Amino acid sequence: MIRAFLLILLFFSGVAFSQNKLHLIPYPQKVEFQKGEFIIPENFKFDKNLPVKETAYFKKRTAGMFTFSSGKKEEGAHLVNTLFTPQSVIGQQKKEKYSIDISPRAIVISSNTDQGYFLALQTLIQLLEQYKDSGKIPAMKIEDEPKFAWRGMHLDVCRHFFTVDEVKQYIDYLAMYKLNTFHWHLTDDQGWRIEIKKYPKLTQIGSKRKESMIGAYVDNTFDGKPYGPYFYTQDQIKEVVKYAQERHITVVPEIEMPGHALAALSAYPELACTKGPFEPATKWGVFDDVFCPKEETFTFLENVLDEVIQLFPSQYIHIGGDECPKTRWKECPHCQKLIRKNNLKDEHGLQSYFIHRIEKYVNSKGRKIIGWDEILEGGLAPNAAVMSWTGIKGGVEAAKTGHFAVMTPGSYCYFDHYQGDPATEPNAFGGFTPLDKVYSYNPIPEELNAEQSKYILGVQANLWTEYILDFKQVQYMIFPRLFALSEVGWGTADPKNYKEFEGRVINEFKVLDKMGINYAKSIYNINGKVQPRVGGISYKLSTSQKPEGIRFTTDGSVPTENSQTYDVPIPVSKTMTIKSAYFEGGLQSAVSSQDFVISKTTGKPITLESQPDENYSFGGEFTLVDGIIGNQKQLGKTWLGFQGKDVVATIDFGQKTRFSEVYFNTLDNKGSWIHFAKSAQIFVSDNGTDFKLIKEIGKEEILSAKGKIKVNVGIQNSKYIKVNIENAGIIPAGNPGADSKAWLFVDEIGVN
């Protein structure tokens, strides 16, 4: 309502607002334009009493724009900092509250804290970038504070390592866009990256591996090159923590337990349930060998945590807790005796026992633990916070029981997913999380009432680096999605106005270019969406640019500036390849290509008995009849993923239809817990209620076909077809993720 009122008010006072739409990211809570302009001086004067470190940061960031000098307020200083009327500062958000009053005479920043002042400077830097060419900033009043206390970015340095200077650059990016938490993932199966002086073998042995997996996981290929030793010394850790503190960013370390422990067990095999030997993992995924919950293990972890706590002043210590297979615990006499001794229900209860013990120790040191949502297994430790990654369920459960939660669901917040057409993007983990999807996220689950919502600390995005080989690719994967995360965390994201946000993103690219930061240009590319139409499907194209710049072909040829101009969705009535690109004075985008394979189910109404997991649900059930065959090496937007669920799909032909062949694909990627279907059944019906089985497909047939199922079902003539594709169920021992629910991935269900 406030923004609408301002638009009306300024419309009658002139055209200033349309000329002065701010390019700020994140957008402030309140902006009020006023009369006059502040002339940007060549010599920028400062009040002598401004906070020293923050002002030095400002000078460094704006070096080259103007010179600096200091003066007294009465001398007409151009930048002044004042404190708000004294009040109790309660909560992180109040510490980050600030206002900026820009008048023709001066820029006055008001804040409760140096942190608020620092955030105000980030806003001021962006304003100076926007208006430096015109030489004047419109007079305005900005009143601003974040909605969420935790606005974080995670970085995995275990799968691939990044130098201290690169980590500092990463922290700088967070500071520029008002994020305040850096989650540093320091230990995992593939590498131990933090020096622990009491246990030197952790870095002598655990910080290196004999080789690394390369390419798509399903290729199972390796580079044959030793990796490491790579780790951070304690002095380097202190250096990074200090650097972050100067930018008002909290560094939260993660020490993985009880799973993801192979690098540690390689150094100290006596901490496992079996004798080993072990070595740091050379491939990605989840492994059965985990910490054994015996006294020497807890002594080891407590000693490690002692050194970690000395290095990191953060309130929270992240202890992982995710993806811990129970295979070794089930077979371990000590673990089984411990379960009986403590009257635990099962191995999930043992996981809870493990987390409770660690939490009690961390609490005794004046700190708190936070962990991935699997720490809920068997019951949540009393003071633990949950980082909800498998979806929103963990965060909802935590908040409803009075525990704090940070929302980081993979479907919105995993920046290792594809952000554009997988065919034109670097190899990524899987999933499809484009800029607009990140921007649409609301960290407060609808299931929570107002009181429960207070336990949602905020939002975080995660960057796992299995497929990220260097820092340039780190930059590529976080930008521009970090912009969307920033605005979601600040609380000013408005999905209805995504196009306006997209315009600010494109403007901010100039800053990234100036800083030499690599970023994804996916929003410049053509985005294609399949939609149903009478009698089939059509392909809708869109772009962040002028729509009349889109050119396309339907014969598989590469489009040129003279190709057909896109204006309405393209009918797809036969098997074809549509290629598209954006032209404006030449080719301005990658060439997007989409193959369509049309069958008698394409575009027909489809219903699923169980919905796919939100991480792999792009396009919903219609994905299975959209005419697109999934790429088995890319878990992008063409696949639906189901964990522990069967796919039961019913398709309505609309009238009796003759067919004799049915096809669909499933995947096998055991390292990611994805298994071929166990079996499949095909049914037909004329009324949608009474179905007759016409074909059963067994496990051996699915394995023999490598998941690419195409079967003859005889001559059929029916109105409905139902395909039941059975999930593999619980992952058996000897496989990554044993004892957990398997994933089932399915793409197109076709009929000829």
Side-chain angles (χ1 to χ4, degrees):
M1 293 297 292
I2 294 172
R3 211 173 282 179
F5 172 76
L6 287 172
L7 281 166
I8 295 169
L9 177 67
L10 289 165
F11 175 78
F12 287 112
S13 64
V15 295
F17 185 83
S18 64
Q19 295 172 341
N20 297 328
K21 179 61 178 175
L22 302 180
H23 296 162
L24 301 176
I25 299 176
Y27 208 82
Q29 300 289 351
K30 183 179 179 182
V31 178
E32 182 179 349
F33 287 90
Q34 298 170 340
K35 291 183 179 179
E37 296 164 326
F38 175 82
I39 305 300
I40 300 174
E42 291 183 6
N43 179 24
F44 213 102
K45 295 181 181 178
F46 287 85
D47 173 11
K48 286 182 176 178
N49 298 320
L50 293 176
V52 175
K53 291 180 181 177
E54 291 74 12
T55 302
Y57 170 91
F58 175 80
K59 291 179 179 180
K60 184 177 180 180
R61 281 285 311 279
T62 57
M65 285 192 193
F66 29 67
T67 58
F68 303 98
S69 63
S70 60
K72 298 177 181 178
K73 293 179 186 178
E74 57 269 22
E75 294 177 351
H78 289 300
L79 182 60
V80 180
N81 182 57
T82 64
L83 291 177
F84 286 124
T85 303
Q87 54 180 296
S88 61
V89 179
I90 303 173
Q92 179 66 28
Q93 292 97 314
K94 294 301 179 185
K95 294 178 181 178
E96 296 179 298
K97 184 177 181 180
Y98 71 89
S99 71
I100 302 177
D101 194 345
I102 301 176
S103 69
R105 176 175 172 79
I107 297 173
V108 178
I109 294 174
S110 299
S111 61
N112 274 314
T113 62
D114 290 353
Q115 186 174 10
Y117 171 66
F118 182 76
L119 293 172
L121 290 180
Q122 300 297 345
T123 300
L124 181 56
I125 290 167
Q126 290 190 31
L127 286 171
L128 289 167
E129 286 284 356
Q130 179 176 348
Y131 291 105
K132 63 183 179 181
D133 291 339
S134 68
K136 51 192 177 184
I137 303 176
M140 69 183 78
K141 178 71 177 288
I142 294 175
E143 295 180 0
D144 206 12
E145 62 182 310
K147 180 177 181 179
F148 294 104
W150 186 302
R151 306 181 305 283
M153 273 296 302
H154 154 287
L155 180 63
D156 163 24
V157 297
C158 301
R159 279 52 178 256
H160 287 99
F161 182 80
F162 304 98
T163 67
V164 168
D165 285 343
E166 289 168 340
V167 172
K168 286 180 177 180
Q169 288 180 59
Y170 198 81
I171 289 169
D172 279 334
Y173 305 152
L174 273 59
M176 287 169 62
Y177 300 102
K178 299 188 175 74
L179 301 179
N180 65 1
T181 305
F182 171 47
H183 175 175
W184 206 356
H185 185 80
L186 290 164
T187 74
D188 215 302
D189 295 301
Q190 295 80 12
W192 184 283
R193 305 296 181 211
I194 175 173
E195 177 191 22
I196 301 297
K197 293 185 176 179
K198 191 172 184 68
Y199 301 107
K201 287 193 289 186
L202 285 171
T203 47
Q204 291 170 0
I205 296 173
S207 72
K208 54 189 176 182
R209 57 180 182 257
K210 67 181 181 183
E211 61 182 355
S212 302
M213 177 173 265
I214 55 173
Y217 189 94
V218 293
D219 292 338
N220 199 36
T221 56
F222 299 84
D223 61 8
K225 300 176 182 177
Y227 192 85
Y230 295 129
F231 65 94
Y232 305 100
T233 67
Q234 292 200 0
D235 284 342
Q236 288 174 321
I237 295 280
K238 292 174 184 176
E239 181 183 343
V240 169
V241 170
K242 180 175 181 290
Y243 190 85
Q245 286 175 324
E246 290 172 352
R247 285 148 183 78
H248 298 280
I249 289 174
T250 299
V251 183
V252 175
E254 181 178 359
I255 307 298
E256 274 275 13
M257 61 185 83
H260 288 293
L262 266 181
L265 298 180
S266 301
Y268 297 96
E270 64 271 20
L271 304 178
C273 292
T274 62
K275 294 182 179 180
F278 309 104
E279 64 178 8
T282 58
K283 62 165 58 178
W284 324 130
V286 179
F287 302 91
D288 285 341
D289 290 297
V290 301
F291 284 122
C292 186
K294 48 193 176 184
E295 288 308 309
E296 51 262 55
T297 300
F298 288 113
T299 298
F300 166 83
L301 290 172
E302 288 168 4
N303 289 334
V304 168
L305 288 168
D306 283 346
E307 295 192 35
V308 170
I309 287 169
Q310 287 296 314
L311 293 169
F312 296 92
S314 56
Q315 178 185 14
Y316 285 101
I317 304 296
H318 203 299
I319 51 84
D322 64 311
E323 298 177 326
C324 179
K326 308 302 187 289
T327 304
R328 296 291 183 257
W329 290 359
K330 283 185 174 183
E331 300 166 349
C332 172
H334 168 79
C335 292
Q336 294 305 307
K337 182 178 179 182
L338 198 59
I339 289 172
R340 293 191 296 271
K341 177 182 176 182
N342 290 279
N343 296 314
L344 304 176
K345 184 178 179 181
D346 53 18
E347 289 76 22
H348 295 290
L350 187 56
Q351 163 121 344
S352 181
Y353 167 85
F354 194 114
I355 300 300
H356 274 69
R357 280 201 56 168
I358 294 298
E359 186 200 44
K360 186 176 180 181
Y361 186 78
V362 171
N363 288 168
S364 74
K365 301 295 181 179
R367 307 295 184 86
K368 299 177 182 179
I369 67 166
I370 187 169
W372 304 110
D373 48 42
E374 287 96 329
I375 68 171
L376 289 159
E377 291 179 6
L380 188 57
N383 303 306
V386 170
M387 194 163 273
S388 191
W389 76 277
T390 59
I392 66 170
K393 183 180 177 182
V396 169
E397 184 178 338
K400 284 186 174 180
T401 55
H403 290 266
F404 287 108
V406 175
M407 304 304 290
T408 179
S411 54
Y412 293 93
C413 298
Y414 267 46
F415 288 2
D416 56 333
H417 289 180
Y418 288 102
Q419 55 192 313
D421 180 358
T424 62
E425 292 284 319
N427 190 33
F429 186 84
F432 183 60
T433 310
L435 181 68
D436 60 337
K437 187 169 186 181
V438 180
Y439 193 69
S440 71
Y441 183 54
N442 180 1
I444 304 292
E446 292 180 356
E447 296 93 322
L448 301 182
N449 60 35
E451 186 60 31
Q452 294 164 341
S453 296
K454 295 177 183 177
Y455 288 97
I456 302 299
L457 286 174
V459 63
Q460 176 176 295
N462 301 320
L463 189 66
W464 303 99
T465 60
E466 289 94 336
Y467 300 98
I468 299 177
L469 308 183
D470 56 38
F471 195 66
K472 280 295 181 183
Q473 197 173 354
V474 166
Q475 296 171 333
Y476 183 92
M477 297 302 282
I478 67 172
F479 286 114
R481 291 185 285 194
L482 185 146
F483 298 153
L485 176 76
S486 164
E487 201 146 300
V488 167
W490 201 257
T492 52
D494 183 359
K496 296 190 301 295
N497 291 329
Y498 171 73
K499 278 296 180 184
E500 184 274 328
F501 168 73
E502 193 175 59
R504 286 187 278 129
V505 167
I506 291 172
N507 184 77
E508 194 66 14
F509 285 165
K510 300 172 188 174
V511 175
L512 301 186
D513 287 335
K514 181 175 140 183
M515 296 178 69
I517 295 173
N518 188 33
Y519 58 90
K521 301 176 178 65
S522 310
I523 61 174
Y524 289 130
N525 294 339
I526 307 301
N527 181 43
K529 182 178 182 181
V530 183
Q531 54 189 27
R533 68 177 179 90
V534 177
I537 59 173
S538 61
Y539 196 44
K540 182 180 180 180
L541 303 179
S542 62
T543 175
S544 59
Q545 307 300 296
K546 302 171 186 176
E548 59 268 25
I550 299 175
R551 301 288 188 271
F552 73 96
T553 63
T554 58
D555 61 0
S557 62
V558 176
T560 68
E561 206 150 13
N562 297 319
S563 298
Q564 188 171 349
T565 300
Y566 175 82
D567 54 1
V568 295
I570 306 162
V572 182
S573 56
K574 62 180 181 179
T575 296
M576 64 171 64
T577 298
I578 296 177
K579 293 190 176 183
S580 56
Y582 183 79
F583 291 86
E584 187 175 353
L587 180 64
Q588 299 296 326
S589 73
V591 175
S592 296
S593 179
Q594 184 59 66
D595 296 325
F596 289 93
V597 178
I598 304 304
S599 82
K600 294 184 178 184
T601 57
T602 306
K604 296 297 190 291
I606 179 173
T607 57
L608 291 176
E609 289 188 8
S610 297
Q611 294 303 307
D613 184 273
E614 63 178 347
N615 286 352
Y616 302 98
S617 62
F618 186 84
E621 55 201 13
F622 188 70
T623 301
L624 299 181
V625 290
D626 65 1
I628 298 174
I629 305 297
N631 184 327
Q632 290 199 316
K633 293 185 179 182
Q634 296 172 334
L635 300 184
K637 58 184 179 179
T638 57
W639 293 87
L640 296 185
F642 303 78
Q643 188 174 27
K645 299 177 185 176
D646 298 340
V647 175
V648 183
T650 302
I651 302 169
D652 181 357
F653 292 113
Q655 61 185 11
K656 279 196 169 186
T657 300
R658 292 175 64 85
F659 63 92
S660 60
E661 182 182 77
V662 178
Y663 63 85
F664 61 86
N665 292 338
T666 73
L667 285 179
D668 182 67
N669 187 340
K670 292 186 176 65
S672 297
W673 303 11
I674 302 169
H675 290 247
F676 282 143
K678 183 191 295 185
S679 66
Q681 299 84 37
I682 301 170
F683 305 82
V684 293
S685 171
D686 289 334
N687 59 16
T689 302
D690 303 308
F691 283 89
K692 180 180 72 172
L693 176 66
I694 61 170
K695 186 73 174 181
E696 287 195 73
I697 306 164
K699 184 176 181 180
E700 292 304 317
E701 188 174 352
I702 292 171
L703 291 174
S704 175
K706 297 183 179 179
K708 296 181 178 181
I709 307 304
K710 182 179 287 188
V711 293
N712 189 301
V713 295
I715 302 298
Q716 303 294 328
N717 188 25
S718 62
K719 187 173 183 291
Y720 297 90
I721 182 172
K722 180 192 287 187
V723 181
N724 180 13
I725 307 171
E726 189 179 0
N727 190 290
I730 300 300
I731 299 172
N735 291 280
D739 200 35
S740 299
K741 295 176 182 177
W743 282 89
L744 171 63
F745 275 79
V746 178
D747 70 344
E748 194 78 356
I749 298 176
V751 164
N752 293 316

